[in-house]
């Protein structure tokens, strides 16, 4: 059993992927080829924003977004401590300070009710993570941001394809950023990412930033990075896009199957708010004795993973000894992610859930 089965997906679209890649090899525009522009147009339409700006990675997308907002040394950005390191890493790379706010116990997303108390005169943005495939509570987050005149960035590396109150992830805030890492709900065959916005000025800035800050050849009005999305990766994503809506529905169906099967007083299954849909980037449960369960599943050749065993405020590079983030600490000690992809069979799901129930 595969934790994420990319080969099963490739078997569905092998001809389209190969034809798309072959077209790039034929025209030879490996950087800024026509596939990049086509993908950006189609993704912007999918999300409902005026602009999509392809990026070399999800990490690069976050960096580009904050650079476009002018975040720099000494600024503060409020974010979640329960996330992949890139969330806070990109803030620190700009010389800014990540300010961690605790998470909701059910969704594991940032708790909007705690954000306002963390705002200071140095706060320049709020970066909300949409974790495990479900969007954070953006109405509440945006309301706080408006009161204080702050932009909001959605770190949607795990939630592309999800919706919040009927609106797509990446179109819920000032800038939405996602990742196309291979294991993501929509993934390429290498690194890739994108930024989304309906703000013309921010879109122009991000396009310049990803091209070393140039607005025309050899003219650089701002600092930038090498942040371009490769044409071949754009070609792969274009081949995958027609399949994506079906895969989203399969993920939701499988997520419901898991949740219903794992109804047990010693298991906390994923919680999806009624106004949300999830793409289940991870199928994450919580149990008291994670190590014992993980070992029991390993003995049955069932792969698992832990996202994330150490919250960011405990990482040496961001260590905050005085931070009081009890929900994040509690969640980090108990989460376990089970196999999740659109091509899991009913029998595989039964095998996993039966093994979990027997072990607990």
């Amino acid at each position: 059993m595969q934790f994420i089965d990319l080969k099963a997906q490739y078997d569905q679209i092998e001809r389209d992927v190969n034809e798309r890649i072959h077209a790039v090899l034929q025209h030879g525009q490996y950087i800024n080829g026509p596939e990049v522009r086509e993908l950006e147009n189609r993704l912007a339409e999918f999300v409902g924003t005026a602009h999509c700006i392809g990026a070399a990675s999800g990490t690069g997308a976050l960096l580009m977004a904050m650079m476009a907002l002018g975040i720099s040394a000494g600024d503060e950005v409020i974010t979640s401590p329960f996330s992949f390191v890139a969330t806070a890493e990109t803030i620190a790379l700009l010389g800014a300070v990540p300010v961690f706010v605790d998470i909701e116990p059910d969704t594991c997303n940032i708790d909007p009710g705690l954000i306002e108390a963390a705002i200071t005169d140095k706060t320049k943005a709020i970066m909300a993570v949409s974790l495990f495939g479900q969007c954070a509570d953006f109405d509440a987050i945006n309301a706080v941001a408006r009161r204080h005149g702050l932009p909001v960035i959605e770190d949607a590396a795990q939630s592309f394809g999800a919706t919040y109150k009927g609106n797509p992830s990446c179109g819920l805030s000032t800038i939405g950023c996602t990742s196309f890492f291979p294991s993501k709900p929509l993934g390429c065959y290498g690194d890739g990412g994108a930024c989304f916005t309906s703000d013309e000025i921010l879109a122009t800035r991000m396009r310049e930033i990803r091209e070393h800050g140039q607005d025309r050849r050899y003219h650089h009005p701002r600092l930038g990075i090498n942040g371009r999305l490769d044409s071949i990766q754009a070609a792969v994503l274009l081949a995958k896009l027609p399949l994506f809506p079906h895969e989203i529905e399969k993920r939701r169906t499988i997520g419901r199957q898991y949740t219903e099967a794992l109804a047990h007083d010693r298991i906390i299954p994923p919680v999806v708010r009624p106004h949300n849909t999830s793409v289940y980037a991870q199928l994450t449960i919580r149990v008291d004795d994670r190590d014992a369960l993980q070992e029991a599943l390993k003995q049955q050749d069932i792969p698992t993973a832990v996202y994330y065993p150490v919250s960011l405020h405990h990482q040496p590079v961001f260590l905050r000894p005085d931070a009081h983030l009890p929900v994040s600490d509690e969640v980090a000690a108990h989460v376990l992610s089970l196999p999740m992809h659109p091509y899991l069979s009913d029998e595989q799901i039964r095998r996993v859930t039966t093994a979990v129930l027997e072990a607990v």
Side-chain angles (χ1 to χ4, degrees):
M1 186 183 298
Q2 301 293 313
F3 187 70
I4 299 172
D5 193 344
L6 298 178
K7 179 64 165 59
Q9 182 194 56
Y10 177 66
D11 290 343
Q12 302 288 315
I13 54 173
E14 180 177 359
R15 176 180 292 182
D16 291 342
V17 169
N18 292 350
E19 287 178 355
R20 283 282 191 175
I21 292 175
H22 183 70
V24 177
L25 297 175
Q26 287 295 105
H27 66 57
Q29 297 177 55
Y30 301 111
I31 304 297
N32 291 337
E35 290 79 9
V36 175
R37 292 187 292 276
E38 181 184 354
L39 179 69
E40 289 176 336
N41 289 336
R42 291 181 65 179
L43 291 180
E45 183 179 0
F46 181 86
V47 171
T49 54
H51 305 280
C52 168
I53 302 93
S57 66
T59 303
L62 293 175
L63 195 61
M64 287 161 47
M66 285 186 286
M67 292 174 73
L69 291 168
I71 293 167
S72 60
D75 293 340
E76 294 178 351
V77 178
I78 294 172
T79 193
S80 167
F82 191 62
S83 180
F84 184 58
V85 68
T87 302
E89 176 183 55
T90 48
I91 297 169
L93 282 171
L94 295 175
V97 178
V99 175
F100 299 120
V101 166
D102 214 351
I103 60 175
E104 298 172 326
D106 54 351
T107 68
C108 299
N109 284 326
I110 193 168
D111 187 337
L114 302 177
I115 292 175
E116 198 148 27
I119 295 173
T120 72
D121 57 0
K122 295 182 179 180
T123 305
K124 294 299 185 288
I126 300 167
M127 184 189 293
V129 181
S130 293
L131 201 70
F132 296 153
Q134 175 176 206
C135 296
D137 188 352
F138 278 94
D139 280 357
I141 293 166
N142 289 334
V144 175
R146 279 193 299 271
R147 287 198 293 272
H148 296 270
L150 296 171
V152 177
I153 300 167
E154 180 187 12
D155 180 345
Q158 298 180 9
S159 61
F160 192 77
T163 62
Y164 171 82
K165 299 184 178 179
N167 299 306
S169 177
C170 286
L172 305 169
S173 59
T174 314
I175 302 174
C177 300
T178 197
S179 168
F180 300 128
F181 188 78
S183 62
K184 302 299 183 185
L186 179 63
C188 53
Y189 291 162
D191 278 313
C195 299
F196 296 82
T197 188
S198 291
D199 187 303
E200 184 79 34
I201 293 174
L202 290 177
T204 298
R205 289 176 186 171
M206 286 187 284
R207 289 192 181 99
E208 292 173 356
I209 287 165
R210 76 171 173 184
E211 297 275 353
H212 297 284
Q214 69 177 16
D215 58 357
R216 58 185 184 274
R217 194 163 176 79
Y218 297 124
H219 187 263
H220 306 265
R222 66 180 73 251
L223 283 175
I225 60 173
N226 179 357
R228 299 176 295 244
L229 176 66
D230 291 341
S231 300
I232 285 180
Q233 301 304 340
V236 170
L237 291 166
L238 285 167
K240 287 189 174 191
L241 268 181
L243 195 64
F244 190 46
H246 170 71
E247 290 188 340
I248 291 172
E249 288 307 313
K250 283 291 293 179
R251 285 177 174 275
R252 292 174 186 167
T253 298
I254 292 168
R256 286 193 294 269
Q257 287 177 271
Y258 263 120
T259 301
E260 291 169 4
L262 293 174
H264 189 283
D265 59 4
R266 295 183 65 187
I267 300 170
I268 300 176
V271 174
V272 179
R273 295 280 177 84
H275 55 260
N276 280 346
T277 64
S278 177
V279 287
Y280 293 96
Q282 285 83 32
L283 194 294
T284 303
I285 63 173
R286 278 181 274 168
V287 292
D288 287 337
D289 195 340
R290 175 178 63 205
D291 293 345
L293 175 56
Q294 193 166 30
E295 181 59 29
L297 296 179
K298 181 180 178 181
Q299 295 301 317
Q300 298 194 46
D301 295 322
I302 296 174
T304 59
V306 178
Y307 303 92
Y308 299 93
V310 181
S311 293
L312 296 180
H313 62 290
H314 292 304
Q315 293 288 352
V317 70
F318 299 121
L319 196 60
R320 305 283 194 274
D322 58 340
H324 181 64
L325 304 166
V327 181
S328 179
D329 290 339
E330 192 277 334
V331 167
H334 297 287
V335 287
L336 183 67
S337 295
L338 305 175
M340 180 66 198
H341 57 83
Y343 301 97
L344 280 169
S345 66
D346 290 344
E347 177 54 36
Q348 286 176 315
I349 297 167
R350 279 193 295 271
R351 181 183 161 204
V352 175
T353 54
T354 299
V356 171
L357 290 168
E358 289 176 350
V360 301

